[in-house]
Amino acid sequence: MTKKAKRDFIAITDFTESEIRETIKLAADLKKKRQKLDVLAGKTVGCIFHKPSLRTRISFEVGIDELGGNSIYITEKEIELGKRESIYDAAKVLSRYLAMIEIRTFSQDDVEELARHADIPVINGLTDLLHPCQIMSDLLTIVEHKGKVDNLKIAYLGDGNNVANSWLKAASRLPMDLRIGTHKDTPPDAKIFAEAKQAGKSKIIVTDDPVEAVLNADVIYTDVWASMGQKHLQEEKDKLLASFQVNSKLLRKADSGAIVMHCLPANRGREITDEVIDGPQSVVFDQAENRLHMQKAIMVKLARESF
Ligand code: CP
Ligand code: NVA
């Protein structure tokens, strides 16, 4: 029997448009049925975390358990990836023990190197550049609340970070009207922006006018202004991004049926006010729940195509 080529999920663009749509459907189905499966029976998934995590860690561990597998939580202390030994050697050794790796770390290049050399699927659980599992599950949340994702007006407000970059990646696969409202000194990644524009799927603008970004929007999305590993920049970002706060005044510029999203953890009172995050348009806890169903769908897809 010939060995299947393994698949990774380290950027949304690792999936084709139809694979993204199928994975959203699969996640919705897994959510509806919520039963124990045996996709990962007898297998172990390594969950490497070099940054803190509530949602990603717990949803992966619960998801792995619900798929019949076993998980190992691995911090920087144990393997010192790329320091104690090369990423190549670590990838080869981990591939002999594990069936899959999920990794949250700083450098996207490290994740790509790990994936290149591992003989097992690698899933990106967040880097400084991207957070693909987050936006995949957010697409499910949008479908649940708006009935579709295609051609919606999606306004991302705040720091041009890993979450903003992942929205650009999503916009290069699915048609949407994506408006990123941010300061000129906190833009999303220039290469990812150029690639998303070049893909020609979506209408995409980056604007320093928060009202232009949210005008008649169907979805308003925000994230912390200073990401993990950048907390020393908090004061500077607070100043640059103050006018991009998602508050009730700004929300009134959006469509009256707009939903408000935040990947969490939130810095209440900074990028979003209590009245908005706790208000009737907020879907933040549906987003958090959907991380579980989407992680399961991604693992099922990679397992089917790699084992
Ligand atoms: N949204 C998200 O990834 O949360 P955690 O950092 O808690 O995993
Ligand atoms: N942009 C945030 C997302 C946290 C889920 C960070 O990287 O810290």
Side-chain angles (χ1 to χ4, degrees):
M1 205 170 77
T2 52
K3 199 172 170 295
K4 289 183 188 175
K6 64 109 179 188
R7 295 283 308 267
D8 301 305
F9 185 66
I10 52 183
I12 287 187
T13 43
D14 287 341
F15 286 176
T16 62
E17 176 176 351
S18 61
E19 285 180 322
I20 293 171
R21 294 186 194 281
E22 279 160 22
T23 309
I24 296 169
K25 280 204 193 86
L26 177 58
D29 199 42
L30 291 168
K31 179 173 183 174
K32 205 157 83 195
K33 297 201 185 103
R34 193 79 191 268
Q35 61 195 13
K36 190 113 179 170
L37 299 171
D38 60 2
V39 178
L40 294 175
K43 300 195 188 295
T44 298
V45 179
C47 299
I48 303 174
F49 281 88
H50 296 161
K51 292 178 177 176
S53 172
L54 188 163
R55 282 142 289 270
T56 308
R57 177 184 174 184
I58 317 261
S59 60
F60 263 105
E61 290 192 8
V62 171
I64 292 160
D65 181 70
E66 291 185 8
L67 296 177
N70 179 47
S71 63
I72 305 181
Y73 176 61
I74 307 162
T75 70
E76 178 65 4
K77 285 193 206 83
E78 284 85 35
I79 58 172
E80 298 186 11
L81 194 70
K83 292 185 196 136
R84 189 160 173 263
E85 59 194 310
S86 68
I87 292 181
Y88 176 90
D89 288 355
K92 291 297 172 198
V93 174
L94 289 171
S95 302
R96 300 289 178 107
Y97 305 136
L98 302 171
M100 222 178 258
I101 296 170
E102 176 276 326
I103 178 166
R104 164 171 290 196
T105 191
F106 296 86
S107 158
Q108 178 75 13
D109 288 347
D110 284 359
V111 174
E112 285 173 14
E113 193 177 343
L114 182 71
R116 209 162 41 246
H117 300 307
D119 306 309
I120 54 177
V122 173
I123 302 172
N124 181 353
L126 179 147
T127 62
D128 291 348
L129 192 71
L130 295 175
H131 196 5
C133 294
Q134 177 70 53
I135 303 306
M136 282 297 288
S137 63
D138 293 335
L139 293 172
L140 169 63
T141 308
I142 291 172
V143 170
E144 285 175 347
H145 285 274
K146 307 297 294 178
K148 61 171 190 172
V149 98
D150 286 20
N151 303 315
L152 292 182
K153 297 182 182 68
I154 298 179
Y156 174 93
L157 289 193
D159 192 36
N161 61 15
N162 42 13
V163 169
N165 291 334
S166 295
W167 269 114
L168 286 169
K169 290 271 188 190
S172 56
R173 286 283 187 263
L174 302 180
M176 59 184 81
D177 179 353
L178 178 64
R179 303 96 167 265
I180 297 183
T182 189
H183 191 275
K184 65 175 177 28
D185 293 337
T186 56
D189 183 84
K191 184 165 170 268
I192 295 174
F193 174 70
E195 285 167 356
K197 290 282 274 187
Q198 205 179 7
K201 264 281 168 204
S202 295
K203 191 173 162 210
I204 303 171
I205 59 157
V206 176
T207 172
D208 61 4
D209 177 357
V211 175
E212 183 186 8
V214 302
L215 205 63
N216 303 322
D218 301 295
V219 175
I220 299 200
Y221 198 115
T222 191
D223 182 19
V224 289
W225 289 339
S227 285
M228 291 179 277
Q230 295 183 359
K231 294 297 175 193
H232 58 289
L233 300 176
Q234 184 75 63
E235 226 175 289
E236 188 187 328
K237 301 252 184 177
D238 284 355
K239 280 190 200 123
L240 295 176
L241 294 167
S243 62
F244 298 91
Q245 183 189 65
V246 177
N247 52 41
S248 41
K249 187 169 169 228
L250 196 59
L251 189 53
R252 280 197 287 276
K253 307 280 181 198
D255 184 78
S256 57
I259 55 170
V260 174
M261 305 183 79
H262 191 310
C263 57
L264 303 181
N267 252 321
R268 286 164 174 259
R270 275 198 167 102
E271 73 276 1
I272 192 161
T273 57
D274 281 336
E275 60 181 344
V276 172
I277 199 170
D278 296 326
Q281 287 166 272
S282 170
V283 298
V284 298
F285 299 119
D286 291 342
Q287 280 180 269
E289 178 188 337
N290 284 339
R291 297 296 307 280
L292 169 64
H293 310 298
M294 182 52 74
Q295 323 291 32
K296 286 169 70 180
I298 292 168
M299 289 188 283
V300 168
K301 174 171 174 59
L302 297 183
R304 276 182 191 154
E305 295 182 16
S306 309
F307 300 166

